[in-house]
Amino acid sequence: MSLSTKEYFVRETYKSIRRNGLMSVASVSTVALSLLVLGMFLLLFLNTNNLAQYLESQVQITVYMQDEADDSVLENTRVQLEGMPGVKKVTAVTKDEALERFKERLGEQQNLLNALGTDNPFPYSFEVEVDAPERIAELTPQIGDMEGVETAKFGQEVVEQLFQITKILRVGGVVLVVLLAFATLFIIANTIRLTVFARRREVNIMKYVGATDWFIRWPFMLEGMTLGFFGSLISILVINISYSALLSRIYSTLAFLPMLPPYPMLLYVDLFIIISGTAIGAAGSYVSLRKFLRV
Amino acid sequence: MLEMINVTKTYPGGSVALQDINVRIEQGEFVFVVGPSGAGKSTFFKMLFREVLPSSGKVIVNGHDLVKMTDKEIPYFRRQLGIVFQDYRLLPDRTVYDNVAFAMQVIETPYRKIKRRVNDVLDLVGLRKRAHAYPTELSGGEQQRIAIARAIVNDPILLIADEPTGNLDPETSWEIMDIFREVNKSGTTIVMATHDREIVDQMEKRVIAIEHGHIVRDDAKGVYGYES
């Protein structure tokens, strides 16, 4: 492709976008909106994933002892637990401590405890922290079989539920991404169709003087890509600003929530959005031109 | 250089536009195609630049078998042709110069060459002075001259004109015909459809008459032969 041809393409693209001013603005905003939803969804998904992984790494095994277990059995269990491979820390929780914790959790509704009378139904337990989350599944049954141990549990439910959520998000994400991509494609295709329609005479003449389909296509493709590019630019601008704002909010109020830091994640998200926005623009033009090129 | 062999065209729906057409046109000829409207003339023309394919038979233009031609080859084939329409088909938002240069930009001619060549053909059609006017500022005859300039700017081997004087008064029509005569003198084959009796009769060129999809007459120095 020669330089003068490239110049010609750029000039034609610029002229066409200006001529369709309002429609161009509409396309850019629509692309921006759909990609905005897309990007926010992506961030939500990445953070849920991150949260799930974080929680998984935080998991500890809780070992509930039988009520009959006497002090020597407890001490024995403790020593045994500490000697297991991968175990970082073992904390003993006495029956009294367990009751205390429960009281704390009840808060103002402590009178519920009166129903218990003087009995303490809470078992003696150990909290076992391990160095790698993968060990938990393997260690837990071993501990459960030890002498004097009633049951050994880990926060399986929470983690599994979270992974369930991420899974749903992942599937839903793909569906949503596809739907949004199609919506965007449709809108850009429509804008370009108007452009092409306005210039069908020109396309027709080009065909008669021997322009190749690609020569005719390029200015329109560039137009679609430009609209897509500016749309994605707006959406990443909004996403970057709002994510940073969200983060500072979360740090000041919900500091315990593990959020992904903006960088480098946002860079990847931005890149993804720009590339898909531009690609969708190109595809939209391609689709809407097909009919007019058949002469 | 141009040959149709047993060409029949049936459109979907069953209407027969052309039936068993056999015609041969040599390099450098000037041929009029006459006949009543709806006789198959436009199909005949569209077939020459491969907008319409025959249902059966063979069309060969400048050595290209148009039936066997792939879609990809069409643009390169059309670059060897020049096409002039009754309604000029100029781009209203471009100047005279740009309208002509357009045909060269499209086939990616270098900028410098474009400038020289466009000025040359504008001289040829006598409109160099109006290079920066827009088509709407020009008369019908001038617009058609621009269209001819665009059609010949890439030095076509074959110039196809579909009623180029159909919208023009007799005097202007002759100006246009003079340009065609010039182009033909330089070796370009011209095939022209027309309803203009006076022009056909005075030019004394080959005349092919098409009626109801058949060639009914093909005279070397023919006359229009219809009541106009």
Side-chain angles (χ1 to χ4, degrees):
Chain A
M1 201 185 290
S2 67
L3 186 67
S4 52
T5 300
K6 277 180 205 143
E7 273 177 32
Y8 172 83
F9 287 159
V10 171
R11 243 191 348 259
E12 288 303 305
T13 306
Y14 174 73
K15 271 204 297 199
S16 180
I17 291 177
R18 292 226 19 205
R19 207 163 10 195
N20 298 298
L22 209 61
M23 245 349 255
S24 299
V25 171
S27 311
V28 169
S29 342
T30 321
V31 174
L33 266 176
S34 0
L35 289 177
L36 188 65
V37 177
L38 201 83
M40 294 208 160
F41 196 84
L42 206 63
L43 289 181
L44 176 67
F45 169 70
L46 289 173
N47 270 298
T48 321
N49 223 4
N50 178 54
L51 185 64
Q53 270 166 18
Y54 169 79
L55 284 181
E56 190 190 33
S57 70
Q58 294 294 305
V59 183
Q60 54 184 15
I61 305 169
T62 310
V63 183
Y64 296 105
M65 301 305 291
Q66 291 165 349
D67 265 352
E68 308 86 78
D70 57 23
D71 285 355
S72 68
V73 174
L74 293 177
E75 188 51 35
N76 193 17
T77 310
R78 179 196 183 89
V79 172
Q80 259 189 296
L81 287 173
E82 279 175 341
M84 290 179 102
V87 170
K88 265 192 337 200
K89 196 176 160 200
V90 177
T91 317
V93 181
T94 64
K95 290 170 69 80
D96 289 346
E97 280 167 348
L99 185 64
E100 266 324 295
R101 284 190 188 179
F102 188 62
K103 274 185 186 168
E104 266 174 44
R105 227 189 287 173
L106 280 179
E108 290 174 4
Q109 295 168 299
Q110 301 221 353
N111 50 349
L112 286 176
L113 276 178
N114 297 338
L116 293 176
T118 51
D119 283 341
N120 179 356
F122 293 98
Y124 192 96
S125 66
F126 292 105
E127 287 170 0
V128 182
E129 279 177 41
V130 293
D131 55 0
E134 303 89 77
R135 287 196 193 277
I136 291 175
E138 167 199 343
L139 283 179
T140 309
Q142 280 181 35
I143 297 171
D145 288 343
M146 278 162 46
E147 198 206 334
V149 171
E150 178 75 40
T151 51
K153 278 186 179 168
F154 63 99
Q156 215 169 1
E157 302 81 7
V158 184
V159 172
E160 273 175 2
Q161 272 172 14
L162 243 152
F163 276 122
Q164 203 65 37
I165 292 175
T166 15
K167 212 158 123 194
I168 293 170
L169 275 178
R170 198 169 296 164
V171 175
V174 170
V175 173
L176 194 77
V177 166
V178 170
L179 283 180
L180 284 174
F182 266 107
T184 318
L185 192 79
F186 178 76
I187 285 149
I188 292 198
N190 232 16
T191 315
I192 301 285
R193 205 193 311 273
L194 286 178
T195 324
V196 182
F197 194 74
R199 291 168 63 191
R200 63 191 184 289
R201 215 179 147 79
E202 194 178 327
V203 170
N204 190 263
I205 294 168
M206 284 170 118
K207 292 285 296 189
Y208 285 134
V209 296
T212 58
D213 284 356
W214 272 107
F215 185 93
I216 299 172
R217 233 176 242 140
W218 264 114
F220 293 107
M221 298 274 283
L222 282 180
E223 184 177 347
M225 284 160 82
T226 310
L227 297 179
F229 178 77
F230 280 109
S232 35
L233 218 56
I234 293 175
S235 80
I236 63 172
L237 212 71
V238 175
I239 285 173
N240 287 26
I241 291 172
S242 46
Y243 190 72
S244 304
L246 183 74
L247 275 194
S248 60
R249 265 289 175 77
I250 285 179
Y251 284 149
S252 60
T253 54
L254 301 161
F256 60 87
L257 206 61
M259 296 289 286
L260 282 166
Y263 298 100
M265 175 189 63
L266 278 183
L267 291 181
Y268 294 125
V269 172
D270 291 353
L271 201 67
F272 171 78
I273 288 177
I274 293 230
I275 289 176
S276 36
T278 313
I280 286 173
S285 306
Y286 187 91
V287 169
S288 61
L289 257 176
R290 263 189 331 200
K291 201 177 82 194
F292 293 95
L293 286 177
R294 272 187 230 123
V295 178
Chain B
M1 82 128 334
L2 189 164
E3 202 172 3
M4 288 195 185
I5 304 164
N6 302 327
V7 168
T8 295
K9 175 67 190 179
T10 315
Y11 283 107
S15 67
V16 181
L18 292 177
Q19 202 158 22
D20 209 23
I21 298 285
N22 282 288
V23 73
R24 191 185 163 89
I25 294 170
E26 301 300 336
Q27 174 76 45
E29 273 194 88
F30 195 130
V31 181
F32 287 114
V33 179
V34 301
S37 314
K41 271 185 313 192
S42 357
T43 304
F44 181 87
F45 272 86
K46 282 181 180 163
M47 226 170 245
L48 295 183
F49 49 85
R50 185 41 168 85
E51 187 171 334
V52 168
L53 271 174
S55 311
S56 66
K58 232 175 166 178
V59 182
I60 294 164
V61 177
N62 196 27
H64 301 276
D65 185 335
L66 298 199
V67 179
K68 285 187 187 152
M69 181 173 281
T70 63
D71 284 353
K72 266 210 159 118
E73 292 168 329
I74 295 175
Y76 300 96
F77 161 68
R78 285 187 184 158
R79 292 174 189 188
Q80 305 166 3
L81 314 178
I83 308 174
V84 177
F85 299 95
Q86 180 175 7
D87 56 357
Y88 327 130
R89 301 212 184 164
L90 298 174
L91 296 169
D93 60 336
R94 288 173 207 234
T95 62
V96 164
Y97 179 91
D98 286 337
N99 263 287
V100 179
F102 180 67
M104 296 187 87
Q105 281 164 345
V106 152
I107 64 171
E108 303 189 44
T109 315
Y111 173 74
R112 274 211 151 141
K113 238 174 143 182
I114 293 182
K115 200 171 173 190
R116 203 175 332 122
R117 177 69 183 149
V118 171
N119 285 331
D120 283 352
V121 285
L122 285 180
D123 271 335
L124 185 77
V125 299
L127 281 172
R128 172 99 174 249
K129 271 186 263 147
R130 310 298 318 263
H132 299 290
Y134 285 87
T136 44
E137 303 167 24
L138 303 178
S139 69
E142 285 171 322
Q143 289 188 49
Q144 190 60 297
R145 281 196 264 165
I146 300 306
I148 296 170
R150 183 182 63 198
I152 61 173
V153 76
N154 288 323
D155 276 320
I157 297 166
L158 172 64
L159 186 59
I160 299 163
D162 193 3
E163 303 202 27
T165 59
N167 292 348
L168 305 175
D169 60 64
E171 199 185 326
T172 317
S173 295
W174 276 112
E175 286 171 22
I176 296 293
M177 289 313 296
D178 285 340
I179 295 172
F180 277 112
R181 240 191 312 228
E182 278 305 308
V183 173
N184 180 238
K185 258 190 213 156
S186 67
T188 304
T189 313
I190 297 180
V191 180
M192 184 184 296
T194 187
H195 282 295
D196 196 322
R197 169 196 202 96
E198 199 192 334
I199 283 175
V200 176
D201 289 350
Q202 289 196 33
M203 292 276 286
E204 299 191 324
K205 299 287 186 190
R206 179 174 170 189
V207 176
I208 296 173
I210 299 180
E211 279 176 42
H212 305 298
H214 293 277
I215 292 185
V216 294
R217 184 158 56 92
D218 187 346
D219 302 328
K221 278 192 179 177
V223 292
Y224 184 68
Y226 296 97
E227 295 302 317
S228 43

Coordinates of all heavy atoms in Angstrom, one line a residue, chain B residues 172-201:
Chain B
T172 N -24.7 19.7 -27.9 CA -23.8 19.2 -26.8 C -23.5 17.8 -27.1 O -22.3 17.3 -26.9 CB -24.5 19.3 -25.4 OG1 -25.1 20.6 -25.3 CG2 -23.5 19.2 -24.3
S173 N -24.5 17.0 -27.6 CA -24.2 15.6 -27.9 C -23.1 15.5 -28.9 O -22.2 14.6 -28.8 CB -25.5 15.0 -28.5 OG -26.5 15.0 -27.6
W174 N -23.1 16.4 -29.9 CA -22.0 16.3 -30.9 C -20.6 16.6 -30.3 O -19.6 16.0 -30.6 CB -22.3 17.2 -32.1 CG -23.2 16.5 -33.1 CD1 -24.5 16.8 -33.4 CD2 -22.8 15.3 -33.8 NE1 -25.0 15.9 -34.2 CE2 -24.0 15.0 -34.6 CE3 -21.7 14.6 -34.0 CZ2 -24.0 13.9 -35.4 CZ3 -21.7 13.5 -34.8 CH2 -22.9 13.1 -35.5
E175 N -20.6 17.5 -29.4 CA -19.3 17.8 -28.7 C -18.8 16.6 -28.0 O -17.6 16.2 -28.0 CB -19.6 18.9 -27.6 CG -19.7 20.3 -28.2 CD -20.1 21.3 -27.1 OE1 -19.9 21.1 -25.9 OE2 -20.7 22.4 -27.5
I176 N -19.8 15.9 -27.4 CA -19.4 14.6 -26.7 C -18.9 13.6 -27.6 O -17.9 12.9 -27.4 CB -20.6 14.1 -25.9 CG1 -21.0 15.1 -24.8 CG2 -20.3 12.7 -25.3 CD1 -20.1 15.3 -23.7
M177 N -19.6 13.5 -28.8 CA -19.3 12.5 -29.8 C -17.9 12.8 -30.3 O -17.1 11.9 -30.6 CB -20.3 12.4 -30.9 CG -21.6 11.8 -30.5 SD -21.5 10.3 -29.6 CE -20.7 9.3 -30.8
D178 N -17.5 14.1 -30.4 CA -16.2 14.4 -30.9 C -15.1 13.9 -30.0 O -14.1 13.4 -30.5 CB -16.1 15.9 -31.1 CG -16.8 16.4 -32.3 OD1 -17.1 15.6 -33.2 OD2 -17.2 17.6 -32.3
I179 N -15.4 14.0 -28.7 CA -14.4 13.4 -27.8 C -14.3 11.9 -27.9 O -13.2 11.4 -28.0 CB -14.8 13.8 -26.3 CG1 -14.8 15.3 -26.1 CG2 -13.9 13.1 -25.3 CD1 -15.4 15.8 -24.8
F180 N -15.4 11.3 -28.1 CA -15.4 9.8 -28.3 C -14.6 9.5 -29.5 O -13.8 8.5 -29.6 CB -16.8 9.2 -28.4 CG -17.4 9.0 -27.0 CD1 -18.5 9.7 -26.6 CD2 -16.9 8.0 -26.2 CE1 -19.1 9.5 -25.3 CE2 -17.5 7.7 -24.9 CZ -18.6 8.5 -24.5
R181 N -14.8 10.3 -30.6 CA -14.1 10.0 -31.8 C -12.6 10.1 -31.6 O -11.8 9.3 -32.1 CB -14.6 11.0 -32.9 CG -15.2 10.2 -34.1 CD -15.4 11.1 -35.3 NE -16.1 12.3 -35.0 CZ -17.1 12.8 -35.7 NH1 -17.6 12.0 -36.7 NH2 -17.7 13.9 -35.5
E182 N -12.2 11.2 -30.8 CA -10.8 11.4 -30.5 C -10.2 10.1 -29.8 O -9.1 9.6 -30.1 CB -10.6 12.6 -29.6 CG -10.6 13.9 -30.4 CD -9.6 13.9 -31.5 OE1 -8.4 13.6 -31.2 OE2 -9.9 14.3 -32.6
V183 N -11.0 9.7 -28.8 CA -10.5 8.6 -28.0 C -10.4 7.3 -28.9 O -9.4 6.6 -28.8 CB -11.5 8.3 -26.8 CG1 -11.2 7.0 -26.1 CG2 -11.5 9.5 -25.9
N184 N -11.3 7.2 -29.8 CA -11.3 6.0 -30.6 C -10.1 6.0 -31.6 O -9.5 5.0 -31.9 CB -12.7 6.0 -31.4 CG -12.7 4.8 -32.4 OD1 -12.9 4.9 -33.6 ND2 -12.6 3.6 -31.8
K185 N -9.8 7.3 -32.0 CA -8.7 7.4 -33.0 C -7.4 6.9 -32.3 O -6.5 6.4 -33.0 CB -8.5 8.9 -33.3 CG -9.1 9.2 -34.7 CD -8.7 10.6 -35.1 CE -9.7 11.3 -35.9 NZ -9.7 12.8 -35.8
S186 N -7.3 7.1 -31.0 CA -6.0 6.7 -30.3 C -6.0 5.2 -30.1 O -5.1 4.7 -29.5 CB -5.9 7.4 -29.0 OG -6.9 7.0 -28.1
G187 N -7.0 4.5 -30.6 CA -6.9 3.0 -30.6 C -7.9 2.3 -29.6 O -7.9 1.1 -29.5
T188 N -8.6 3.1 -28.8 CA -9.5 2.6 -27.8 C -10.8 2.1 -28.5 O -11.4 2.8 -29.3 CB -9.9 3.6 -26.8 OG1 -8.7 4.1 -26.2 CG2 -10.8 3.0 -25.7
T189 N -11.2 0.8 -28.2 CA -12.4 0.3 -28.7 C -13.6 0.9 -28.0 O -13.5 1.1 -26.8 CB -12.4 -1.2 -28.5 OG1 -11.2 -1.8 -28.9 CG2 -13.6 -1.9 -29.2
I190 N -14.6 1.3 -28.7 CA -15.8 1.9 -28.1 C -17.0 1.2 -28.4 O -17.3 0.9 -29.6 CB -15.9 3.4 -28.5 CG1 -14.7 4.2 -28.0 CG2 -17.2 4.0 -27.9 CD1 -14.7 5.7 -28.4
V191 N -17.8 0.8 -27.4 CA -19.1 0.2 -27.5 C -20.1 1.1 -26.9 O -20.0 1.4 -25.7 CB -19.2 -1.2 -26.9 CG1 -20.5 -1.8 -27.1 CG2 -18.1 -2.1 -27.5
M192 N -21.0 1.6 -27.7 CA -21.9 2.7 -27.1 C -23.4 2.3 -27.4 O -23.8 2.0 -28.6 CB -21.6 4.0 -27.8 CG -22.4 5.2 -27.3 SD -22.0 6.7 -28.2 CE -20.3 6.9 -27.8
A193 N -24.2 2.4 -26.4 CA -25.6 2.2 -26.6 C -26.2 3.6 -26.8 O -25.8 4.6 -26.1 CB -26.3 1.6 -25.3
T194 N -27.1 3.7 -27.7 CA -27.7 5.0 -27.9 C -29.1 5.0 -28.5 O -29.5 4.0 -29.1 CB -26.8 5.9 -28.8 OG1 -27.3 7.3 -28.8 CG2 -26.7 5.4 -30.2
H195 N -29.9 6.0 -28.3 CA -31.2 6.2 -28.9 C -31.2 7.3 -29.9 O -32.2 7.8 -30.4 CB -32.3 6.5 -27.8 CG -32.7 5.3 -27.1 ND1 -33.3 4.2 -27.7 CD2 -32.6 4.9 -25.8 CE1 -33.6 3.3 -26.8 NE2 -33.1 3.7 -25.6
D196 N -30.0 7.9 -30.1 CA -29.8 9.1 -30.9 C -29.7 8.8 -32.4 O -28.6 8.4 -32.9 CB -28.6 9.9 -30.4 CG -28.7 11.3 -30.9 OD1 -29.0 11.5 -32.1 OD2 -28.3 12.2 -30.1
R197 N -30.8 8.9 -33.1 CA -30.8 8.5 -34.5 C -29.8 9.3 -35.3 O -29.0 8.8 -36.1 CB -32.2 8.8 -35.0 CG -32.3 8.7 -36.5 CD -33.6 9.3 -37.0 NE -33.9 8.8 -38.3 CZ -34.8 7.8 -38.4 NH1 -35.4 7.2 -37.4 NH2 -35.0 7.3 -39.6
E198 N -29.8 10.6 -35.1 CA -28.9 11.5 -35.9 C -27.5 11.1 -35.8 O -26.7 11.1 -36.8 CB -29.2 12.9 -35.5 CG -28.7 14.0 -36.5 CD -28.7 15.4 -35.9 OE1 -29.4 15.6 -34.9 OE2 -27.9 16.2 -36.3
I199 N -27.0 10.9 -34.6 CA -25.6 10.5 -34.3 C -25.3 9.2 -35.0 O -24.3 9.1 -35.8 CB -25.4 10.4 -32.8 CG1 -25.3 11.8 -32.2 CG2 -24.1 9.6 -32.5 CD1 -25.1 11.9 -30.7
V200 N -26.1 8.2 -34.9 CA -25.8 6.9 -35.5 C -25.7 7.0 -37.0 O -24.8 6.5 -37.6 CB -26.8 5.9 -35.1 CG1 -26.6 4.5 -35.8 CG2 -26.8 5.7 -33.6
D201 N -26.7 7.7 -37.6 CA -26.7 7.9 -39.0 C -25.5 8.6 -39.6 O -25.0 8.3 -40.6 CB -28.0 8.5 -39.5 CG -29.2 7.6 -39.2 OD1 -29.0 6.4 -38.9 OD2 -30.4 8.1 -39.3

